[in-house]
Amino acid sequence: NNSGSGASNGTKSLILFGLAYSTTYIVWVNATDPTGSNQWIQRWFTFNTEQGNPVFGTSSPVNGSTGNPLGFTWSIPISDPQGDLFSWTINCSNGQKNSSSSATNGTKSLSLTNLAYSTTYKVWVNATDPAGSNLYTRRWYIFTTKTNLPPVFVIPSPVNGSTGNPLGFTWSIPISDPQGDLFSWTINCSNGQ
């Protein structure tokens, strides 16, 4: 606290130190005019201190994304507000992980491989500022991989239900896999061919 008496008009101040990171403080101010109106005024004010723990940006892919491939690089920007070096870890629920210590601000990533179709995975991210504020940030994110759709038939030649076809010809049909996977196929006719 700080105070004074017999003061004239002007700016009054309070020197603050040893404050905690990411904290809201309240300042109360009282002023009394005993030789004049003998009335007093009281107000309170708030302020927040700077964030000390590492800050996460938007992940890529974004949290809750769907249709992701079975192998890709998951990444997230991490920075320290004071520019201190920090440690970070990224862990995926499939067991893959990546980490570093004494890291600087920038995008951190985890290469993911051999994921399963139509599966939701969770990614945990931790970052700690041991040499600065010694505070940490922890978040988790989810993503879902793409669905493995079966091969697709297009219009055959000749078209289904056609009439007047010759007694010998080549029957054909386009087949494609939505994911571009290799596939097996068979064509059988009721005549045994």
Side-chain angles (χ1 to χ4, degrees):
N1 59 40
N2 194 12
S3 63
S5 61
S8 58
N9 294 344
T11 300
K12 314 308 174 195
S13 60
L14 171 65
I15 298 174
L16 299 170
F17 56 91
L19 302 176
Y21 286 105
S22 305
T23 303
T24 299
Y25 290 92
I26 302 173
V27 176
W28 290 272
V29 182
N30 298 290
T32 306
D33 176 9
T35 60
S37 66
N38 200 30
Q39 296 180 355
W40 57 273
I41 184 170
Q42 182 183 51
R43 296 284 186 273
W44 56 271
F45 307 86
T46 64
F47 66 88
N48 294 302
T49 52
E50 63 183 331
Q51 185 170 345
N53 51 312
V55 177
F56 295 165
T58 302
S59 65
S60 176
V62 296
N63 191 28
S65 66
T66 59
N68 292 287
L70 303 186
F72 67 96
T73 298
W74 191 95
S75 63
I76 188 168
I78 304 177
S79 61
D80 184 87
Q82 289 73 44
D84 298 323
L85 299 179
F86 56 90
S87 300
W88 61 269
T89 61
I90 301 175
N91 294 274
C92 183
S93 55
N94 74 338
Q96 294 176 313
K97 59 186 176 180
N98 194 14
S99 63
S100 179
S101 59
S102 299
T104 57
N105 296 347
T107 299
K108 315 308 174 188
S109 60
L110 171 62
S111 294
L112 297 170
T113 58
N114 300 318
L115 301 175
Y117 284 107
S118 304
T119 303
T120 298
Y121 292 91
K122 184 178 286 189
V123 176
W124 292 270
V125 183
N126 300 293
T128 307
D129 174 10
S133 67
N134 201 32
L135 298 175
Y136 66 85
T137 303
R138 296 176 181 166
R139 300 280 187 277
W140 59 268
Y141 306 83
I142 60 171
F143 67 89
T144 303
T145 51
K146 63 183 178 180
T147 300
N148 187 11
L149 299 173
V152 176
F153 295 155
V154 191
I155 299 171
S157 175
V159 297
N160 191 31
S162 64
T163 59
N165 291 290
L167 302 184
F169 66 96
T170 299
W171 189 95
S172 63
I173 187 169
I175 305 174
S176 63
D177 185 89
Q179 287 79 41
D181 299 326
L182 299 178
F183 56 89
S184 299
W185 61 272
T186 60
I187 299 176
N188 296 278
C189 183
S190 58
N191 72 343
Q193 294 176 308

